[in-house]
Each structure stands twice: as structure tokens, then as C-alpha cells.
Amino acid sequence: MKFGSTWGDQAFTLAFEYAAAGRADRALILLRQAVNAGSLYLPWALPYGVHEFPPAVREDPAYAAIWRSSPGLAALIERRRAARTDRFGGAAQRP
């Protein structure tokens, strides 16, 4: 079954599914592959999104490393954090 327009999109979707199933290890592998392929397929699942990856994934240092892996990604995440701070006032709160 094909879903998503590219391998990166499919990897991002599968990463979220593995995370929801409690497989943080597999989720992080697929998330790294998705980001390396240029996919940000589920923007609501990115840091500071409405439905972020589950805590077991977010707490792994590899998760933070993915978002610091390039200046462009780091800037994107900072913009999302700032937008969330502006929206809710004060410090950005994790969902």
C-alpha cells in the first residue's frame, strides 16, 4: 500500500505510527530517514505542533539531535516555538 508522495513522506508517517505503538527506537530511525529525505509530512507532529511525537520519543536525545541537524531545521523549530509562545503567552508549553 502506498501512502505519501515520496519515501520521505512515507517514512515520516511510519515514524509517527511506530511512536504511537511504543517503538521509539524504530520511530527515531524512520524520523531521521524522513528528515534526511526532506520530508516534513505531518507538520502537526513536529516539535511544538498540536500532536507531537509521544514523550518516549521526545525524551530521547536522538530526537533533539534530528532537529538540530541542520541550520534550516533548527530555524524552523525556533519559529514554531516562538509562534507557540506568542499564541499562548509566556514560555512555550509542551502539549
Side-chain angles (χ1 to χ4, degrees), residues 17-84:
E17 291 296 324
Y18 272 106
R23 291 289 313 270
D25 56 339
R26 188 71 181 132
L28 287 164
I29 290 168
L30 285 162
L31 181 59
R32 169 66 70 188
Q33 291 176 6
V35 169
N36 287 345
S39 177
L40 298 177
Y41 191 69
L42 301 171
W44 45 264
L46 297 175
Y48 305 104
V50 177
H51 301 288
E52 268 191 90
F53 277 82
V57 174
R58 292 194 319 260
E59 293 166 0
D60 191 304
Y63 180 77
I66 290 170
W67 305 117
R68 290 190 306 262
S69 66
S70 80
L73 280 176
L76 169 67
I77 298 312
E78 178 54 28
R79 284 193 311 271
R80 292 175 68 85
R81 187 204 58 75
R84 187 168 178 90

Side-chain angles (χ1 to χ4, degrees), residues 1-4 10 13-14:
M1 174 165 81
K2 184 172 168 97
F3 51 94
Q10 293 175 34
T13 302
L14 288 171

